[in-house]
Amino acid sequence: EGDWGLTLRPELLDRAARHFRTVRLPVRWSNHASADAQARIDEAFARRVDAAVDRLLAAGAWVILDLHHYMQLAGGGPLHPHEFSVDESVLEDRLVNLWRQVAARYHNRSPRLLFELLNEPPGGDGPGLGGERGNRLAARALAAVRESNPTGVVLVGPDDWNHPRGLARLQLPRDPNLIVSIHSYDPFDFTHQGVPWRQPPLPRGVGCCDDAQRRQVREALDTATAWSRAQGVPLHLGEFGAYREAPMPARAAYARLVREEAEARGIGWAWWEFASDFSPVWDSAKGRWVEPIRRALGVK
Ligand code: BGC
């Protein structure tokens, strides 16, 4: 909250819950907790999250409560401005202890509250949180959730920033109540044109979606669907979106394409994002829908 130019006003939460069945709530727990291995969560911050979660649940939404942007642990890039660093030796224990606290805090909420262990673990078997290390840590975090929350649904995602490519390395703990979360930002040079965190920035003016681009979207979703069938674990498409500097007609075409391809495979989805600064469907400054995106997503 604040970092993405948005304050969670009650009417914003109500609108999200009224128009979407599922709301994914990204929370940077790691930055609102003690720097030691215990990672004691700041109570004032947690109450702020309680208010958002409870308001969304009361409005009837399913809520995916996510652990977002623990950049020092995820290792995919530099720390963010305002992110404090901790001793390397406590990084993993902090994640596990954050989940122990979050799960205990919400253990008596509605079954419509789901937990997502870690947004976008980066890459493969290289440095960072991919492969074996990511699998081991997810298993530990899940065990911490299960201490207070034996059957609630938990989302786990593959490395490579949740791209379906990472599924080949994902080893899930044995647990009947898991959903695997994937993200779809293909074609990346289209969806991420002009984003300031890529230097030099990807060139602007790339359109969407020609045959090759459509194929790219479909192939990734097919990889995920085949994996999901083989493993017997359902999928959720936790993020897709196209940066606001891409041409609007192409963004709307992209939104429609990915939504339809996901729905054709029986995959529920969440657009990134509702009202912040990457690819909003609600313009919070003007208090109105971004119409082409709203229509493409089929939001009533
Ligand atoms: C990141 C955001 C980013 C988006 C698109 C998300 O998972 O947390 O910071 O805007 O992906 O790249």
Side-chain angles (χ1 to χ4, degrees), residues 230-294:
Q231 304 280 329
V233 181
L235 297 170
H236 184 253
L237 174 56
E239 289 187 17
F240 66 112
Y243 192 49
R244 56 185 154 77
E245 292 206 12
M248 180 51 97
R251 292 173 62 206
Y254 161 87
R256 183 174 296 278
L257 169 71
V258 179
R259 168 173 78 98
E260 288 178 353
E261 294 292 341
E263 289 177 358
R265 292 164 178 77
I267 305 172
W269 51 262
W271 176 251
W272 184 269
E273 71 284 75
F274 182 62
S276 191
D277 66 351
F278 183 78
S279 186
V281 59
W282 175 257
D283 183 333
S284 65
K286 299 200 176 108
R288 59 173 195 233
W289 293 104
V290 179
E291 273 303 321
I293 305 284
R294 182 192 67 76

Side-chain angles (χ1 to χ4, degrees), residues 4 24 26 66 68-69 71 80 119-120 161-162 183 185 188 191-192 195 197 239 241 243 272-273 277-279:
W4 285 331
R24 179 168 177 264
D66 165 36
H68 213 87
H69 279 176
M71 300 307 283
H80 284 176
N119 178 64
E120 296 193 343
W161 288 271
N162 292 159
H183 292 178
Y185 285 109
F188 195 81
T191 62
H192 279 67
V195 297
W197 62 91
E239 289 187 17
Y243 192 49
W272 184 269
E273 71 284 75
D277 66 351
F278 183 78
S279 186

Side-chain angles (χ1 to χ4, degrees), residues 123-125 130-132 135 158-160 165-171 227:
D125 286 316
E132 274 305 298
N135 289 332
D159 69 23
D160 213 344
R165 276 188 302 258
L167 288 169
R169 288 180 293 271
L170 182 63
Q171 300 282 340
W227 184 92

Side-chain angles (χ1 to χ4, degrees), residues 138-253:
R140 283 186 66 204
L142 180 67
V145 170
R146 291 298 181 230
E147 289 169 14
S148 60
N149 212 298
T151 57
V153 174
V154 174
L155 289 96
V156 185
D159 69 23
D160 213 344
W161 288 271
N162 292 159
H163 192 282
R165 276 188 302 258
L167 288 169
R169 288 180 293 271
L170 182 63
Q171 300 282 340
L172 291 178
R174 270 185 186 284
D175 187 299
N177 296 308
L178 298 181
I179 293 178
V180 163
S181 174
I182 52 167
H183 292 178
S184 174
Y185 285 109
D186 297 324
F188 195 81
D189 62 341
F190 166 69
T191 62
H192 279 67
Q193 56 190 286
V195 297
W197 62 91
R198 278 287 293 244
Q199 290 302 332
L202 296 167
R204 293 173 176 76
V206 179
C208 199
C209 309
D210 64 21
D211 285 350
Q213 292 173 315
R214 286 173 184 274
R215 212 176 313 120
Q216 216 188 329
V217 168
R218 290 190 189 118
E219 279 174 6
L221 292 177
D222 284 341
T223 300
T225 306
W227 184 92
S228 156
R229 292 219 179 97
Q231 304 280 329
V233 181
L235 297 170
H236 184 253
L237 174 56
E239 289 187 17
F240 66 112
Y243 192 49
R244 56 185 154 77
E245 292 206 12
M248 180 51 97
R251 292 173 62 206

Side-chain angles (χ1 to χ4, degrees), residues 19-64:
H19 294 276
F20 290 86
R21 192 184 297 165
T22 305
V23 178
R24 179 168 177 264
L25 194 66
V27 179
R28 189 190 276 183
W29 295 104
S30 57
N31 218 42
H32 298 275
S34 60
D36 58 5
Q38 298 311 313
R40 270 181 307 275
I41 296 174
D42 174 60
E43 183 57 24
F45 178 77
R47 292 218 183 106
R48 190 85 188 108
V49 179
D50 296 349
V53 165
D54 288 335
R55 186 142 194 132
L56 292 166
L57 289 174
W62 291 72
V63 179
I64 299 175

